[in-house]
C-alpha cells in the first residue's frame, strides 16, 4: 500500500509547501520531518550538510514509510538532490528558487532573490540565473535572519518588523526592481509581514505551487489522508510541537539519524 508524501525541511519552512500540497492534493496523506537540531542549514558547511541531509532523510523515510520525498528546502535541494536520488528508492522532488517564473513576469528585467546565505551563492543557483534570467539584473540578498523570524512565528510570536526591514533593505536600492523571489521555504510564511515592510509594491514569487504541481505529476498513487498526520524532529521542542499541531500534525516523534 502507498505511504504518505513526506515533506522535509531544516525547520518549519516546509510548512509553506505543506499548504500548497494540501491545496492541490487535499486527499493525500502527508508526513513532516525537520532537522530542528541543526537549524539553520543556511549557515552550515556544504560537505557536512550533504551527509547530514542524507542521514536525516534516510531516517525519516524509514520511519514514515513514505512513498515520495519532497525536499521542501532550497538550501538542501541546491546541494543534495543528486545524493538523495541516488540513495533513496522513492521519487524525490526538490525545491529551487523560482528564478524562471520571476524572469517571465518582470517588466523592468530587475529581480531580487531573497534566500539563505548558502542558496544565494550556490553554483546551482548561479546556473539557474544564467539559464533563465540571463537578460535580467538579479540582486541576490542573503536573509538568514528571516529563517529565525519564521520559526518564531510558527512558535506563536509575532515577527520583529525591524529585523524584517533590515533584511529586505538591499532590495530597495534600485527603484526598478519589480519582482522578488522568496528562495527559502520559510519566507512565504512571513508573506503578509514582508509585504507590509516593503516600501513599495512588488511581485513576490515562491515555489510552493510549482512543487505541488510537480508532486501531483510524480505521485500518481498516494495514500488517503486519515487519522494522525505524523511528524518527526531531531531534537525535542515543545513550542515546535505546538506549532506543528496548528498545521494539523500529530505530536512529533524523535528521529535518530545515523
Ligand atoms: N527552509 C530552508 C530553505 O528553503 C532554509 C532554512 C535554513 O537555513 O535552515 O532554504
Amino acid at each position: 500500500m502507498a505511504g504518505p508524501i513526506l515533506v522535509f525541511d531544516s525547520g518549519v519552512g516546509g510548512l509553506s509547501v505543506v499548504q500548497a500540497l494540501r491545496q492541490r492534493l487535499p486527499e493525500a496523506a502527508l508526513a513532516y520531518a525537520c532537522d530542528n537540531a541543526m537549524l539553520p542549514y543556511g549557515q552550515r558547511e556544504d560537505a557536512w550538510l550533504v551527509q547530514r541531509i542524507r542521514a536525516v532523510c534516510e531516517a525519516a523515510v524509514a520511519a514514515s514509510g513514505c512513498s515520495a520525498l519532497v525536499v521542501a528546502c532550497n538550501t538542501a535541494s541546491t546541494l543534495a538532490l543528486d545524493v538523495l536520488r541516488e540513495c533513496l528508492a522513492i521519487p524525490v522532488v526538490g525545491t529551487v528558487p523560482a528564478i524562471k517564473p520571476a524572469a517571465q513576469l518582470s517588466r523592468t528585467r530587475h529581480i531580487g532573490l531573497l534566500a539563505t546565505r548558502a542558496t544565494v551563492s550556490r553554483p546551482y543557483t548561479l546556473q539557474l540565473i544564467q539559464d533563465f534570467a540571463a537578460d535580467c539584473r538579479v540582486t541576490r540578498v542573503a536573509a538568514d535572519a528571516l529563517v529565525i523570524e519564521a520559526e518564531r512565528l510558527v512558535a506563536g510570536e509575532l515577527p520583529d518588523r525591524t529585523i524584517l526591514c533590515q533584511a529586505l533593505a538591499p532590495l530597495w536600492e534600485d527603484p526598478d526592481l519589480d519582482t522578488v523571489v522568496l528562495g527559502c521555504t520559510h519566507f512565504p510564511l512571513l508573506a503578509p509581514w514582508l509585504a507590509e515592510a516593503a516600501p513599495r509594491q512588488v511581485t513576490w514569487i515562491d515555489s510552493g505551487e510549482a512543487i505541488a504541481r510537480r508532486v501531483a505529476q510524480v505521485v500518481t498513487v498516494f495514500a488517503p489522508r486519515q487519522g494522525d498526520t505524523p511528524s518527526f524532529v531531531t531534537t525535542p521542542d515543545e513550542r515546535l510541537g505546538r506549532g506543528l499541531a496548528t498545521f494539523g500534525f500529530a505530536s512529533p516523534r524523535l528521529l535518530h539519524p545515523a
Side-chain angles (χ1 to χ4, degrees):
M1 176 169 148
I5 298 165
L6 175 65
V7 179
F8 163 74
D9 183 35
S10 55
V12 300
L15 295 172
S16 68
V17 176
V18 164
Q19 287 172 326
L21 279 169
R22 283 191 174 140
Q23 288 250 322
R24 183 157 284 265
L25 297 170
E27 301 306 324
L30 301 183
Y32 194 79
C34 64
D35 189 8
N36 59 322
M38 295 300 162
L39 176 95
Y41 273 2
Q43 315 262 333
R44 302 215 172 249
E45 198 264 316
D46 284 4
W48 177 88
L49 195 52
V50 174
Q51 294 314 316
R52 176 69 185 179
I53 290 166
R54 178 187 172 154
V56 176
C57 286
E58 281 181 334
V61 166
S64 65
C66 63
S67 55
L69 170 66
V70 179
V71 183
C73 175
N74 295 261
T75 309
S77 298
T78 52
L79 183 68
L81 270 186
D82 290 344
V83 169
L84 291 173
R85 286 184 175 136
E86 260 167 45
C87 72
L88 296 171
I90 52 171
V92 178
V93 175
T95 307
V96 297
I99 298 290
K100 187 179 176 183
Q104 284 164 349
L105 274 175
S106 172
R107 285 165 185 268
T108 59
R109 315 313 290 150
H110 186 180
I111 66 184
L113 168 62
L114 201 62
T116 63
R117 190 182 65 181
T119 299
V120 294
S121 49
R122 286 258 158 78
Y124 194 113
T125 306
L126 303 183
Q127 191 64 48
L128 274 180
I129 292 172
Q130 199 176 314
D131 290 348
F132 300 113
D135 68 330
C136 290
R137 181 172 163 206
V138 181
T139 298
R140 293 176 290 138
V141 177
D144 300 81
L146 298 182
V147 173
I148 305 306
E149 291 310 296
E151 292 286 327
R152 291 181 50 224
L153 177 68
V154 172
E157 287 173 54
L158 282 178
D160 181 326
R161 191 172 190 277
T162 309
I163 292 177
L164 264 49
C165 288
Q166 274 167 4
L168 297 179
L171 293 171
W172 316 129
E173 283 167 15
D174 180 342
D176 268 357
L177 183 148
D178 67 350
T179 307
V180 179
V181 176
L182 298 178
C184 169
T185 52
H186 278 73
F187 301 170
L189 298 170
L190 296 168
W193 288 273
L194 295 177
E196 192 277 322
R200 57 189 161 84
Q201 234 188 338
V202 289
T203 305
W204 306 87
I205 299 188
D206 66 67
S207 311
E209 250 181 66
I211 300 163
R213 245 193 338 265
R214 181 73 192 135
V215 172
Q217 286 168 350
V218 169
V219 187
T220 45
V221 182
F222 50 80
R225 188 177 180 176
Q226 58 191 1
D228 267 3
T229 303
S231 70
F232 303 89
V233 296
T234 50
T235 191
D237 180 337
E238 261 180 49
R239 275 164 36 114
L240 172 61
R242 284 199 296 274
L244 287 168
T246 65
F247 282 77
F249 289 95
S251 185
R253 283 187 258 154
L254 202 55
L255 287 175
H256 300 283

